Amino acid sequence: MTARRRIPRHIKIGLITLGILFAITLGMFVDVVGHIQSMVGDKEVEENPFTPAAAPLHSPTDPPMQVKVFFPGTQEDVILSAEDQTIYRSAELANRARQILVKLLEGPKNPELHPSIPKDTKLQEVFIDDVGTAYVDFSNPISANHPGGLQNEQATVYSIVNSLTYNLPEIRLVKILVGGAESETLAGHCLLIPLEMDLSITDIAPPQQEQVKPHAN
Amino acid sequence: VSIQLDYVLAMKRVVTVLFVTILAVAGFFYTQSISAADTDFLIYFENSTLALKSQTIERTTYLPLLEIIRHLGLPYTDATNVMTFSIQGQNSRLALTTGSAFISVSDQPILLQNPIRRDNDQWLVPLDFLSQGLSKVAGFEFRYKPGNHRIFAGKVTPAELAMNAQSLGPTTRLTLRLGSAIDVELDKDAGQRRAVLMLRGKPIDPARERLDYKDSLVQSISFDDSGGQPRLVVAYTDDVRDIRVTAAEENRVYFVDFIHDAVSEASLAATAASTSQPAAAAAAAARSNVRPNGLRVIVIDAGHGGIDNGATNSSTLEKDLTLILARRLRAALQSRMGATVILTRESDVKMTSEARAAVANNNQAGLFISLHIGYSPNKAAPGSSIYIMKPNFTGGTPEPAGGRLFFPWYMAYRMSLQTSQAAAAQLQRNLNQALPGWKFPIRTGPIGVLASSTMPAVAIEIGNLNNDVAVKTLSDAEFQTKLASTIAAGIEQFAVSSAGGRPQ
């Protein structure tokens, strides 16, 4: 019995070799899996780690400015309801746009209305070009944490588009970016191309005089 | 003792076999990572085609220079002792040196991205040598799309090719869309179960080299022009009895139908009679003897899929509900109208908006219905709507230059905006009537799936997944059937009215 239990030396060597080879194979496998995971991970655009010190969006001398910020409402016929909010007329257009978007991210004051942008979403950058297209970059949660729904996605997209274009007539089109990159849609429905104002889905009577009003204030 | 010896011998053998296997596998991976397989490159000249063996060295593709120069018939001198090569053009001279990325054209230096090489007495040039250097002495351009093995020289304008395959029940349809008119000739090799489609008349620039499509009739579809003659090779199965090629749109579109054994002669005759209509639609019409109306093919899109769950409420996922509804709607439409109904997805897979619309476009659908379930942050909101594309959603979009293979996505919907409106209105009437308490307002928006559809296209968003009562109702099979038959009735009425208004 004892002779049987003792394993011959060359088998021992064989088993050890097998063990080493197995370990190498396992290592290679783990490496490959890691590669694949990192490739998948690469797709998610990282948030900018070099966040500059937050510059104030307005100076103390800037006069206040009444704006209408759009949020999903409870009425059946309209998708978005306007809420009056106050920002400061900073010299730089992009800073006025940022202030409006901050109000949008903070959510509505009226408890009847709903926030339009998912929690944890951060405003990363706003850039406005010569022809009046505002590029608005939000962090990934705007897409990843979006609850979905066609009408709901339209509400999110147009709360951004309308809040900017309605209050800042210099902005004609709004292009939404997700995590610093272009995205086809937020939640699979609405195309994120440069979009113009659509007041037909809001409780605000459209056209011209309204558009001029914020200017006159 | 003998038992022990056997055991030892067996172990030895196992160890040896394992060792050899592992070595072989390791060797396989090792060789793979070192030398990429040489690929065939094709240069399409105006009157001839040159096939070349390319070499990949340090992740750069190199072509043999001498073969190109000889084919062009340009005078050259190969000064091996000073390692330079010069080519004499009509009024310019090109010189290159081995190991250097600088070439000179009539004494003007040009920097290439990769150096010229001379390996095994063969001059090798990187691809950008053709457009940067050779085009200057040859007197014409070389056009090359990265990642592809075709170079088009001078005035050669290839015809773009887009392919799509789709199962239409008893037949599998391969649709070829070509940028310009091309003759297609079918060469069937029944023994090998291979169909070769020769594409004659022009060089072809395929969007994809192969189509990832496989079903019970078709096994693989791939493009091949390695011999200089562009052709499509389709491997099919034993179940295929016949293959039919039908041309449409002045030889710019071809339908290749692989027909299953079981399809009756009558339906085949019907197919032959109506050349521009999909075979299965005609077959279905022949089977059920339904009066023909405006809608022969209807494409239903089950929203979301794959990693995209859509809206969710605990374990209820929008992607599952839309697929169930799409299947029920297909059944309802088939029994009601005898129309061919195609789903954009049959299983839980992710698709882009454009791919969904492409299924409808490629099958020449008469109506495209995208099914979605709603979600509202307001739990009490009804959530339903019928969406059509919002016209002019973006300001100042430039009109594209003519002659595109596909409609640009932001244009396609314009072809049938009014009919989309009519379809939405009809569906609204039926849904509001059949489901009292549910409201289906018609809305417009920049909806991805609708934007690139050329036919009347409508997205129906049903209910509110944030409402637990609605979730229960939507998951109820009886309700789903009722919903499907209501939508089917709306589609049928739309089909009758649109057929009446438009001469067939």
Side-chain angles (χ1 to χ4, degrees):
Chain A
M1 288 301 275
T2 46
R4 248 198 175 184
R5 228 176 260 165
R6 194 199 271 157
I7 306 166
R9 201 177 62 159
H10 50 278
I11 293 208
K12 246 188 211 168
I13 294 169
L15 282 175
I16 290 166
T17 322
L18 257 183
I20 291 167
L21 285 173
F22 178 73
I24 291 170
T25 320
L26 195 74
M28 282 168 88
F29 180 72
V30 168
D31 190 51
V32 166
V33 169
H35 263 293
I36 291 166
Q37 273 176 347
S38 71
M39 271 159 69
V40 172
D42 280 347
K43 276 193 182 167
E44 290 167 20
V45 183
E46 282 177 28
E47 284 174 36
N48 184 8
F50 306 103
T51 330
L57 296 181
H58 61 89
S59 73
T61 53
D62 288 338
M65 171 183 176
Q66 288 296 312
V67 291
K68 288 197 186 296
V69 181
F70 291 84
F71 292 104
T74 45
Q75 286 168 268
E76 274 180 26
D77 301 338
V78 295
I79 294 174
L80 293 169
S81 301
E83 188 177 68
D84 287 315
Q85 302 247 16
T86 309
I87 62 161
Y88 295 91
R89 187 186 293 283
S90 40
E92 208 185 318
L93 178 62
N95 275 344
R96 270 175 273 161
R98 284 190 190 100
Q99 289 184 62
I100 291 172
L101 292 169
V102 167
K103 295 282 180 204
L104 197 59
L105 287 167
E106 281 169 3
K109 291 181 288 189
N110 180 352
E112 300 256 291
L113 303 179
H114 297 273
S116 67
I117 298 177
K119 264 199 316 187
D120 306 330
T121 304
K122 290 190 188 77
L123 175 63
Q124 299 193 151
E125 197 49 82
V126 175
F127 169 76
I128 301 164
D129 70 8
D130 315 336
V131 294
T133 307
Y135 294 82
V136 186
D137 179 18
F138 290 99
S139 62
N140 281 327
I142 196 173
S143 170
N145 297 354
H146 199 279
L150 216 162
Q151 195 184 316
N152 192 32
E153 183 180 346
Q154 193 183 17
T156 305
V157 170
Y158 276 96
S159 72
I160 299 164
V161 174
N162 284 351
S163 297
L164 288 179
T165 50
Y166 183 83
N167 299 300
L168 306 169
E170 298 92 330
I171 297 177
R172 209 167 53 82
L173 294 167
V174 177
K175 162 88 186 164
I176 299 169
L177 304 173
V178 179
E182 276 197 301
S183 176
E184 192 198 16
T185 61
L186 276 190
H189 313 101
C190 281
L191 289 172
L192 296 185
I193 48 171
L195 292 167
E196 59 182 12
M197 179 161 59
D198 183 2
L199 291 180
S200 69
I201 56 168
T202 68
D203 58 355
I204 290 211
Q208 268 74 35
Q209 311 110 321
E210 299 253 7
Q211 242 180 305
V212 179
K213 217 195 259 172
H215 234 13
N217 274 357
Chain B
V1 176
S2 76
I3 291 170
Q4 207 180 2
L5 210 67
D6 277 356
Y7 171 68
V8 167
L9 277 174
M11 269 314 276
K12 239 184 182 171
R13 201 169 294 160
V14 167
V15 167
T16 320
V17 166
L18 268 174
F19 194 75
V20 167
T21 317
I22 289 170
L23 267 184
V25 170
F28 176 72
F29 279 110
Y30 185 69
T31 47
Q32 268 227 327
S33 63
I34 288 209
S35 71
D38 289 355
T39 41
D40 270 315
F41 248 83
L42 280 178
I43 305 182
Y44 284 98
F45 295 100
E46 260 174 81
N47 297 315
S48 58
T49 313
L50 175 63
L52 296 168
K53 275 267 186 241
S54 71
Q55 288 182 36
T56 304
I57 304 163
E58 287 167 10
R59 275 185 251 143
T60 309
T61 309
Y62 282 92
L63 294 177
L65 176 64
L66 217 52
E67 287 180 43
I68 303 172
I69 302 301
R70 283 196 182 130
H71 188 87
L72 287 172
L74 291 170
Y76 66 93
T77 43
D78 185 357
T80 24
N81 51 344
V82 286
M83 289 299 193
T84 55
F85 189 96
S86 56
I87 306 158
Q88 192 61 49
Q90 273 193 328
N91 34 27
S92 56
R93 188 170 165 278
L94 196 154
L96 37 98
T97 316
T98 176
S100 164
F102 274 107
I103 58 171
S104 86
V105 178
S106 302
D107 299 328
Q108 293 285 316
I110 291 171
L111 179 64
L112 303 179
Q113 281 168 8
N114 294 287
I116 306 288
R117 298 183 73 104
R118 191 182 153 86
D119 290 358
N120 305 326
D121 287 339
Q122 203 185 9
W123 285 91
L124 297 172
V125 289
L127 282 173
D128 61 339
F129 169 80
L130 296 183
S131 51
Q132 298 280 333
L134 191 60
S135 61
K136 307 236 162 52
V137 282
F140 49 79
E141 291 294 314
F142 290 90
R143 290 183 307 279
Y144 167 71
K145 269 196 251 170
N148 148 344
H149 293 146
R150 269 164 227 103
I151 297 167
F152 300 104
K155 289 185 191 138
V156 175
T157 47
E160 295 166 294
L161 166 69
M163 302 182 270
N164 179 273
Q166 189 85 39
S167 173
L168 302 171
T171 60
T172 293
R173 162 158 293 193
L174 169 65
T175 309
L176 311 179
R177 276 175 188 268
L178 293 145
S180 47
I182 290 284
D183 285 329
V184 172
E185 199 180 291
L186 173 68
D187 188 1
K188 208 164 94 179
D189 185 350
Q192 296 241 352
R193 299 270 161 223
R194 237 164 53 116
V196 178
L197 294 151
M198 296 291 196
L199 307 169
R200 293 190 201 281
K202 257 189 169 191
I204 304 287
D205 185 11
R208 280 183 293 177
E209 304 282 322
R210 55 170 52 250
L211 207 55
D212 286 327
Y213 181 84
K214 202 175 171 183
D215 66 9
S216 60
L217 296 173
V218 169
Q219 289 199 304
S220 73
I221 302 163
S222 54
F223 179 81
D224 173 37
D225 60 356
S226 54
Q229 166 64 48
R231 58 203 193 128
L232 272 174
V233 182
V234 184
Y236 56 89
T237 63
D238 294 341
D239 290 340
V240 173
R241 198 192 57 184
D242 202 2
I243 302 170
R244 305 250 163 137
V245 182
T246 320
E249 293 181 27
E250 291 162 352
N251 291 358
R252 290 163 72 117
V253 175
Y254 283 89
F255 300 113
V256 186
D257 291 321
F258 296 84
I259 299 159
H260 191 272
D261 257 340
V263 179
S264 71
E265 278 300 328
S267 59
L268 280 180
T271 317
S274 60
T275 48
S276 69
Q277 261 123 22
R287 264 202 307 278
S288 56
N289 218 3
V290 175
R291 72 190 183 295
N293 54 35
L295 286 183
R296 291 194 178 275
V297 181
I298 299 164
V299 170
I300 302 168
D301 170 42
H304 307 277
I307 58 163
D308 172 16
N309 286 336
T312 56
N313 180 321
S314 62
S315 65
T316 310
L317 310 179
E318 182 183 358
K319 64 171 182 178
D320 298 334
L321 282 175
T322 55
L323 186 55
I324 294 169
L325 279 174
R327 288 187 179 137
R328 290 195 192 276
L329 181 53
R330 172 171 58 187
L333 282 170
Q334 279 169 341
S335 67
R336 199 178 257 274
M337 298 170 68
T340 298
V341 183
I342 297 162
L343 303 194
T344 52
R345 65 179 177 98
E346 290 274 2
S347 57
D348 187 14
V349 291
K350 185 178 165 56
M351 289 178 81
T352 63
S353 300
E354 282 199 47
R356 292 168 194 271
V359 172
N361 290 343
N362 287 338
N363 288 293
Q364 310 219 316
L367 181 66
F368 181 54
I369 303 272
S370 182
L371 296 176
H372 287 267
I373 310 293
Y375 182 99
S376 171
N378 174 14
K379 281 187 188 294
S384 307
S385 349
I386 299 173
Y387 269 91
I388 55 173
M389 193 59 201
K390 177 176 154 63
N392 305 321
F393 49 91
T394 191
T397 315
E399 292 289 322
R404 290 219 201 192
L405 181 49
F406 286 117
F407 276 90
W409 52 265
Y410 54 82
M411 279 265 304
Y413 71 93
R414 292 187 193 175
M415 291 177 71
S416 45
L417 203 56
Q418 283 189 330
T419 7
S420 296
Q421 227 144 12
Q426 183 63 54
L427 286 166
Q428 183 188 37
R429 275 195 291 277
N430 288 65
L431 284 165
N432 281 347
Q433 199 177 17
L435 306 171
W438 295 61
K439 281 181 186 158
F440 283 87
I442 295 178
R443 302 185 198 274
T444 61
I447 314 298
V449 280
L450 304 183
S452 27
S453 312
T454 53
M455 70 294 305
V458 173
I460 309 178
E461 179 167 52
I462 308 144
N464 178 2
L465 268 191
N466 199 15
N467 181 314
D468 295 337
V469 180
V471 171
K472 246 185 217 136
T473 316
L474 285 165
S475 311
D476 177 42
E478 210 170 299
F479 177 82
Q480 290 168 352
T481 312
K482 185 180 179 188
L483 193 62
S485 69
T486 307
I487 297 172
I491 292 173
E492 190 182 27
Q493 279 163 17
F494 163 73
V496 171
S497 63
S498 66
R502 166 165 56 97
Q504 288 282 304

